[in-house]
Amino acid sequence: MSDHKILTVLGARPQFIKAAAVSRAFKRIGIREIIVHTGQHFDEKMSDVFFREMEIPQPTHRLEIHSLSHGAMTGRMIEGIERIILQENPSAVMVFGDTNSTLAGALAAVKLHIPVIHVEAGLRSFNMKMPEEINRIVTDRISSLLFCPTETAIQNLMNEGYSHFSSKIVRSGDVMYDTALYYVQKAKTSTSILKDLNLSGKTFVLATIHRQENTDNPERLAGIVNGLNLIHAEIPVIVPLHPRTRKMLQSHTIVPKFQCIDPVGYFDMLVLLDACRAVLTDSGGLQKEAFFFKKPCITLREETEWVELVEGGYNILAGWQSDRIAAAFHKGVQSSPDFEKDLYGKGDAALRIADEIKLYLS
Ligand code: UD1
Ligand code: UDP
């Protein structure tokens, strides 16, 4: 075990899934890791279930900061993470993706001159109204080691002048692919979700909605729900509902006709992905997972960071209007793109990241 210690900042569901792969790789090659959980996601089904299923090391520090405005949440997280960095004195701070927890971890570290490692760097939607786009741009710029999942991500950084900066950029592949490959067999033998939902052997569509730009705009949210209602008239639609969306459906009295369930654990999700006919989503992670499971994806947004999926014919951008969503679904299920393409690496992204971090710290 090396003397170096990495402090990993986690907070939201997609980060637990990404961290599962990297923490395992750290263990394998002997890198010490301490985890801080900001508390951004806190329901059992949005947080603990992932630590339990994937045996992610328990956080050493928990900040319990959630359900605040962007500024309040990020500010309080920076303050808490700064205190922990001063106490732990890590060699580097690692952050994942593009949430407020990502930005807070990166800002707290860089101000204390601790190198920042950003996993899933270089992604861009070019929509500055998305909180995630702001978080990504700032986090990338203040990171020392940037792990890019795709060639497009590297190109985005080059276009922003990164060849003139001192940060190191590495194409690692996508750690979400590592996680999906590693757990899919275990998931199939350990969940009963298809039976529980009476979906065994049946054709169904899997959908998720949680993006702020969709949930917080009643016209968009109603349009998406109506689009899913149209599809549900043909094929059952199952939606594990993010708490944000549940609250917004209730407050705007939008009543879906399709089946909404609580958020599911990652193993249930893998089984649903494997069994479904198609995926409709505004999630970043789910767009890639649809590809991993060779399923057509209809994205309920105007743009995506994962442009290679659209270019390859795996993903159709449908926005929020019901007729467009239904039309994109019909087009998607009739398409047969080549799913054998290597877009996200070979499932060894986390090991590449761990090896590179070891080298960087030596
Ligand atoms: C956050 C990320 C988003 C990511 C998503 C993954 C930011 C800016 N956004 O969005 O990029 O795609 O996580 O799911 O960081 N809530 C609960 N229980 C929970 C978690 C959240 O009730 O366990 C509620 C909160 O009280 C809040 C709302 O959901 O009212 C939104 O939570 P928040 O963490 O602010 O943003 P997300 O929409 O989850
Ligand atoms: N996910 C899950 N249960 C759910 C919904 C999503 O396990 O009920 C997983 C999903 O398979 C993917 C990740 O959570 O691995 C994506 O998270 P989310 O959509 O919340 O965030 P995003 O990727 O958009 O940031």
Side-chain angles (χ1 to χ4, degrees), residues 182-300:
Y182 189 82
Y183 289 108
V184 65
Q185 289 313 327
K186 190 169 180 197
K188 284 183 185 171
T189 55
S190 61
T191 99
S192 57
I193 185 83
L194 294 178
K195 208 166 134 239
D196 298 347
L197 296 175
N198 198 20
L199 288 173
S200 302
K202 296 199 178 141
T203 304
F204 69 94
V205 166
L206 177 65
T208 74
I209 321 154
H210 76 274
R211 289 276 163 196
Q212 181 179 308
E213 67 264 29
N214 284 334
T215 59
D216 293 18
N217 178 332
E219 192 188 3
R220 287 183 74 101
L221 186 58
I224 289 171
V225 168
N226 286 335
L228 296 178
N229 284 342
L230 290 174
I231 297 166
H232 183 70
E234 297 171 39
I235 302 180
V237 174
I238 305 295
V239 181
L241 212 52
H242 190 293
R244 163 179 223 124
T245 318
R246 188 174 290 280
K247 280 180 203 166
M248 287 307 186
L249 288 174
Q250 272 159 8
S251 65
H252 298 302
T253 46
I254 299 171
V255 184
K257 295 186 182 142
F258 46 85
Q259 187 176 3
C260 293
I261 57 174
D262 279 349
V264 294
Y266 184 64
F267 287 3
D268 284 347
M269 202 59 182
L270 290 179
V271 168
L272 289 170
L273 277 158
D274 189 50
C276 72
R277 178 68 187 91
V279 175
L280 288 103
T281 191
D282 59 6
S283 159
L286 226 67
Q287 291 176 55
K288 288 178 289 173
E289 288 168 338
F291 172 78
F292 304 158
F293 285 88
K294 305 183 174 26
K295 302 298 158 86
C297 183
I298 316 307
T299 294
L300 307 169

Side-chain angles (χ1 to χ4, degrees), residues 75-220:
R76 287 189 50 197
M77 284 177 185
I78 294 172
E79 194 178 2
I81 297 165
E82 181 182 63
R83 194 170 7 89
I84 295 164
I85 293 175
L86 290 170
Q87 184 187 330
E88 294 283 0
N89 193 24
S91 309
V93 168
M94 180 167 70
V95 294
F96 292 88
D98 54 20
T99 72
N100 290 344
S101 299
T102 314
L103 177 65
L107 275 171
V110 74
K111 293 267 184 166
L112 292 171
H113 303 169
I114 305 289
V116 179
I117 300 166
H118 187 201
V119 177
E120 208 179 76
L123 276 299
R124 298 289 183 266
S125 66
F126 303 100
N127 175 357
M128 287 300 283
K129 293 230 165 82
M130 284 179 77
E132 294 85 359
E133 183 75 352
I134 301 160
N135 293 345
R136 288 179 201 124
I137 290 173
V138 178
T139 302
D140 281 343
R141 187 63 190 88
I142 60 182
S143 292
S144 296
L145 198 47
L146 296 116
F147 290 107
C148 295
T150 60
E151 192 50 46
T152 309
I154 294 189
Q155 201 49 55
N156 287 338
L157 295 177
M158 291 304 138
N159 294 345
E160 290 174 19
Y162 276 67
S163 56
H164 302 292
F165 305 156
S166 59
S167 42
K168 181 164 188 196
I169 298 170
V170 178
R171 180 169 176 185
S172 55
D174 196 304
V175 292
M176 287 190 87
Y177 187 42
D178 299 25
T179 308
L181 280 181
Y182 189 82
Y183 289 108
V184 65
Q185 289 313 327
K186 190 169 180 197
K188 284 183 185 171
T189 55
S190 61
T191 99
S192 57
I193 185 83
L194 294 178
K195 208 166 134 239
D196 298 347
L197 296 175
N198 198 20
L199 288 173
S200 302
K202 296 199 178 141
T203 304
F204 69 94
V205 166
L206 177 65
T208 74
I209 321 154
H210 76 274
R211 289 276 163 196
Q212 181 179 308
E213 67 264 29
N214 284 334
T215 59
D216 293 18
N217 178 332
E219 192 188 3
R220 287 183 74 101

